[in-house]
Amino acid sequence: MPTPTSVSRAHLSQQVIRFAGVGVLSTALHLGLFAALVRGGAPSQLANGVALVIATVVNTGLNRAWTFGVSGRRNLVAHHGQALVIFAITYAATTAALAVLGAVAPGAGTLVQTFVVAVANVLSTAARFVAMRRWIFRTPAAGDDPTAAPGGRADRHDPAYTGGGVLEGPQGER
């Protein structure tokens, strides 16, 4: 029989893998939009901001449903609002990286700028995961009122959501 610790580790592993998958997708979206906007003539800082906001909204929606197993409309606006606070971490990292690049290599092309944004994005990923897991989609402790927690389970009404917040197959299938 699995121990609570082994179940907890397995749950965390599933979340990390799913978070990484969503991250790859949303990073590709961010970088693709960034490169397209820069090639279209937008200044790199503006292109970064626009692309990152769009990617953040998509990332939050996917992580909410797939990584953390939250469904329904309850706390939807709050979750996206909290994600925009976390967005500031990535925006600050990518903006600073572009500013440094602009000072060091003012004529850097789109490919180099996109690479710099990608590196800064990757470096901020761990902070985003911890913030999503511990703040936005926090699982209430035993005895907590789940309706009071920002990421409470009260809106996890779909029977497909089982296993403590990780989207799995219909109940009983794993």
Side-chain angles (χ1 to χ4, degrees):
M1 175 163 219
T3 66
T5 303
S6 66
V7 171
S8 177
R9 284 187 189 142
H11 178 69
L12 177 60
S13 295
Q14 288 175 343
Q15 283 185 332
V16 168
I17 290 166
R18 290 172 185 198
F19 183 83
V22 169
V24 167
L25 179 68
S26 59
T27 298
L29 175 63
H30 175 205
L31 297 178
L33 288 171
F34 172 79
L37 290 168
V38 168
R39 286 191 185 243
S44 61
Q45 295 289 7
L46 176 63
N48 178 50
V50 169
L52 189 55
V53 166
I54 293 168
T56 297
V57 171
V58 170
N59 178 288
T60 303
L62 291 173
N63 273 313
R64 184 177 194 270
W66 195 47
T67 304
F68 299 101
V70 179
S71 66
R73 293 184 183 186
R74 179 172 291 163
N75 296 320
L76 178 67
V77 173
H79 290 158
H80 279 282
Q82 289 167 308
L84 288 176
V85 171
I86 295 171
F87 153 86
I89 296 167
T90 305
Y91 185 68
T94 55
T95 299
L98 284 170
V100 169
L101 178 64
V104 172
T110 303
L111 183 62
V112 172
Q113 290 180 48
T114 303
F115 177 76
V116 166
V117 169
V119 169
N121 196 327
V122 166
L123 293 175
S124 67
T125 296
R128 283 196 319 268
F129 178 75
V130 170
M132 283 186 157
R133 189 168 201 280
R134 303 234 177 214
W135 180 45
I136 297 177
F137 304 114
R138 173 180 91 77
T139 301
D144 281 359
D145 176 5
T147 60
R153 292 197 179 152
D155 60 350
R156 296 175 190 199
H157 61 276
D158 188 328
Y161 290 87
T162 63
V166 175
L167 179 62
E168 298 176 11
Q171 277 186 330
E173 290 181 27
R174 299 216 185 237

